[in-house]
Structures are given as structure tokens and as C-alpha cells.
Amino acid sequence: MSKNVRCYPIQTYQNEIKNDLILDLYSEYRKYYEYQIHKQYINYQQTGYLNKSIDTKNDNSLLSERYKRNAVYQVCGQLQSWLSNRDNKIKDIVHNNESLKDKEKRILHLIRRNQIQKEQTLTILYSKDNKKKGIKKGDIKEEVFIPKEYIQIYKSILRQIKWRLPTNKRISMQLNVNVCQLIKKQTKYKKLNAHNFDYWFELSTLNKGQKTYIPAKMNSYLKEQVGQGKLLNSVRIDFKGSLISFNLMINKEQKDYESEIDSIGIDFGTKHLFALSTGNIFGVSFGKQLKSYDAKIILLQKRLQHQGIRPSSSKRYRRLVFKCREFIKNEINRNFNKIIKEIKPQEIALERLDFRHSKLNKTMNRILRKCGRSVIKSKLQTLEKDYGIQVIEVNPAYTSQECNNCGFVHKNNRNNRDQFKCQICNYKKHADINASRNIQSRSSCAVLKGKSCKRTIKKHLFDQFKRNILQCDKSITGFVSPNSRAIFLDFKPLTFQDFYGLIKSGNKLKV
Ligand SMILES: [Zn+2]
């Protein structure tokens, strides 16, 4: 089922006999569903694919062929999302395994992605312009040998995760037109027009050729929803004990959107609103305007206090706060729209939100925290629904002190608000852009994405940094003094502070 299809329950009016017919059907459907889950999974293990057109003729069931095919589709949909969740989990496990080298991790990812079962040489094509459409001239070809041992390591990782297959517990019946038709009033079915119903569900039953008709009535909310999208022909029936509830399915269209960049990180600031890992800054004058509202609010607060009036009882004050909220809301929405239009990301990574700005007064901070957070949250939800953009929240600890080049974390990396300068590798960048890049790279790491405490995060960042320095990671640009390596080898520092102290004292000795 596509992400944009939403279900809305509709009131139906069926008698006991029809109720029983549906419950009998459901009980048989569930049995077959369970059987099909296992059949598909075995097929997946053998071929690497789910098979929507798998043969069902000889399956033992009271269901008609049409119902069986319907169940196959529903099972495949459910298994597909189960498999992709499992895949993400494996991805994280490989990624976060500290005993593996990056090269080894890559091989494991290749095995995962290509479902490799036997030792072989894999040919990988990289397209030049970073788009995955077909093979073009100038594409780079790489051959990677996948040794047997790694396939075994991969299999042992798979065994670590004890994932249970989905079951038929609490399933709904998602029925297509082959077994259940939605018939609107005033159609060729004259006999159905006798009553004051908006729709009829024409449902095939377990008895061959026999159909039952379930009448349904709309309410005003439902009418409004149908008006906003396309009413689909399929129907979902939910079950809770012997309670049966029919649902209309409405496709609320996703806007035409083709992303141009896989993932971006966004840093929220109260000076500039958004700094992006792509280097763009949006809402440049946000802070300035915010400050001007701030000044106005303080001034009015003082004046009212002088007159002995409580701010909340002043109409003027309330209007000012309202205007300020509207400003924040508009700026956030406007700039998000701009990002969608100009950058076109597929995935947005951001920090778990927390607005703070020491230079603004208490009231202003509160407005920003309360209003900004909820506006951003709801805007992101619409982006997800309308454009299919994924939103990933990462742990906010130390994003502003971490060097995106070498991974060194220290408060001295930030000698003033706007400029980031790494004390180890001399990497210089706009401070918010550096932070947004950290946010972006955190989006693929389970630990840095998670809700761990600051200490755990710092420890993880330190280990990452140590690895960078010791492996002389080629991805680090600029100068990392050979000293840094020697310090790790000779003194084995355990924290950034230790390391920084050693570097500092070394410098002093040299001078
Ligand atoms: Zn650095």
C-alpha cells in the first residue's frame, strides 16, 4: 500500500447473518495468510525475492483463487516492509561494529545489498554524475572479490538478530476489486437505491458465486476527505473480536517531486535560521528580525510593569506576541519550501530540537522554543507526506564542537560564534555549516542517531577520532601533525581533554 493512501472508517449497516458471513470469511483468510507468509519467506530464502505471482492453485483453502491472490499481495506488502526493517538493522550492526575495519564493513554491506550467497567477484559500476539511471560512458567499473569467510561472518550477524516472522494476528483484510467492489448509489444496481445509503460494498463470500451487499453511510468529515483525494476501489476491513469495521481508502496525492541529493543535514540557529551541510544558509536575516521583536517585547513589558499592568492582560502585548509567533512560523515554512525547491533532498537529518539563545530574553526564548518546535515538527510531517522526504533525528550532543574533518571535539574549536577552527587539523568553516555536516554524517550511525547520554556520545566520538588519526584516514584533508599519531601510540590518551593537554604541552616543549 502506497504511503499516501489513508484509511477512513465508514459506518456500515449489516445484519447478523451478513456479519457471520464476513467472520467466516475472515477466519479462512487468516489461515491462508499465515500459510502464505511461510511460503513467501521460503521462496525469499531460496531466490532472494518475494513472488507476487506465486502459484496458488494447489494451496489447500476454502478461499477462491481471487481471494488467495488478494492474500498473496497483502502478505508480500507486509513481508517487504518487514525485510526492509531487518535490513536497516543489519546495516546498523555492521556499521557500528568497532572490531571491523572500514574495508571489511564495505564487503559486508556488499553482501547484504546484493544478497550474495557464494564466494564470487562482484562488478560495481559508478555512474559519473551520481545519478543511478543506466550505464553511461565514463562510468567507473570496480571489481571486488567477496571471500567465503565474509559470507560466513555475515550469516553469523544474521543469526544474532532473532526476528520473528510477521503473523496473522490482528491483520486486516485489504481487499481489491476482484473480491470487494465499492458501489456508489445511483448506479446500474437499481435495487440498491431503495434505501438512503451512500455506498454498498459488494463482497464475495466463501460460497462460490455468492455475493453479499453491505450498505454504508457517509458523514460530513468523510465527504470532506473524499473531496481532497481520490477514492480508491479497494477496501480495508478491520476486525476486533467480532466487531467488523469497513474502511474507505483515499489516495491523497503526493506532489511531483524528484530529489537531486540523497541526504542533507540542517542546523537550526537563532542567527541564521537554517545552515545546510551543502553549504547553503537560509533565513539569513532571521536573527536580526527576531532581535527586533525581542527588543519590542522587552520595552513593552517594562512599560506595562511600570503602569502596574500584567502583560497577559494587555491586548497590545498579546498582539505583539502573536505577531512574533506568526513571523517565526512564516519564516520556518517559507525557508523549508525554499530548501525543497532549490536543494531537493531525499532525506533530511536534524538535531532533536532544542532552541536556546542566550542573547534573547526569557519570554522570547519561550516563544521560540514552544512555537518553533511545533511548527518545524508539523512542517516536517507534511514534507514527509507530500514529497516522501525522510526525516532523521540525530543526537545533538557536541555537534557544534566537533570538527567535521578530523573528528576532534573541543570547545576551543569555536573561538567565536560564527567561525569554526579545529585545534588539531586547522579545518576552518562557518560554524553552523560545520555543525550541519556533523548532523548529516550522524544520520547513518545508530549510536549518534540514538538517545544516548552525552558521555556515551563523547566516548563514541573520541573512538572515531582515534581511529581517524591512527589510520591516517585519507578522507581527512589538511594537516594533521605526525605528533598526533605519536601521542596516541605513546601516551594512549582516553579523552579529548587528555589528548589536547598532551598536544599543548608538546608544543610548549618545542618552543
Ligand atoms: Zn579537525
Side-chain angles (χ1 to χ4, degrees), residues 72-163:
V72 168
Y73 262 75
Q74 197 179 335
V75 166
C76 285
Q78 195 186 0
L79 275 179
Q80 195 62 60
S81 71
W82 179 81
L83 285 167
S84 102
N85 285 341
R86 196 178 70 159
D87 192 53
N88 282 335
K89 176 99 189 190
I90 299 167
K91 214 194 283 183
D92 280 351
I93 290 180
V94 172
H95 188 85
N96 294 312
N97 189 327
E98 292 184 352
S99 62
L100 291 169
K101 288 186 187 127
D102 283 351
K103 253 188 187 168
E104 299 175 307
K105 286 181 186 177
R106 180 158 181 251
I107 293 179
L108 290 172
H109 281 309
L110 287 172
I111 295 173
R112 177 184 61 79
R113 223 176 294 143
N114 299 288
Q115 308 256 4
I116 293 172
Q117 316 266 359
K118 280 182 220 139
E119 187 168 86
Q120 59 184 267
T121 302
L122 195 70
T123 310
I124 306 166
L125 286 166
Y126 297 97
S127 82
K128 220 176 162 192
D129 49 10
N130 230 351
K131 280 189 181 166
K132 291 164 194 159
K133 280 178 203 156
I135 301 161
K136 289 188 208 94
K137 260 188 195 170
D139 287 353
I140 304 155
K141 209 168 118 178
E142 189 196 351
E143 295 197 326
V144 185
F145 178 66
I146 311 284
K148 205 162 53 193
E149 299 88 286
Y150 284 86
I151 296 169
Q152 267 151 12
I153 296 177
Y154 182 74
K155 281 186 179 156
S156 77
I157 293 175
L158 275 185
R159 276 195 296 272
Q160 273 174 40
I161 328 174
K162 288 193 185 102
W163 283 65

Side-chain angles (χ1 to χ4, degrees), residues 403-408 413 420 422-427 465 476 480:
C403 169
N404 187 250
N405 187 37
C406 71
F408 182 64
N413 282 348
F420 182 95
C422 178
Q423 300 294 306
I424 300 303
C425 73
N426 277 324
Y427 174 77
F465 171 66
I476 301 178
V480 179

Side-chain angles (χ1 to χ4, degrees), residues 290 293 297 320-328 364 367:
L290 205 61
Y293 273 109
I297 288 176
L320 186 59
V321 170
F322 175 78
K323 259 179 84 181
C324 175
R325 280 209 189 106
E326 284 299 294
F327 163 72
I328 295 172
M364 192 50 149
I367 295 174

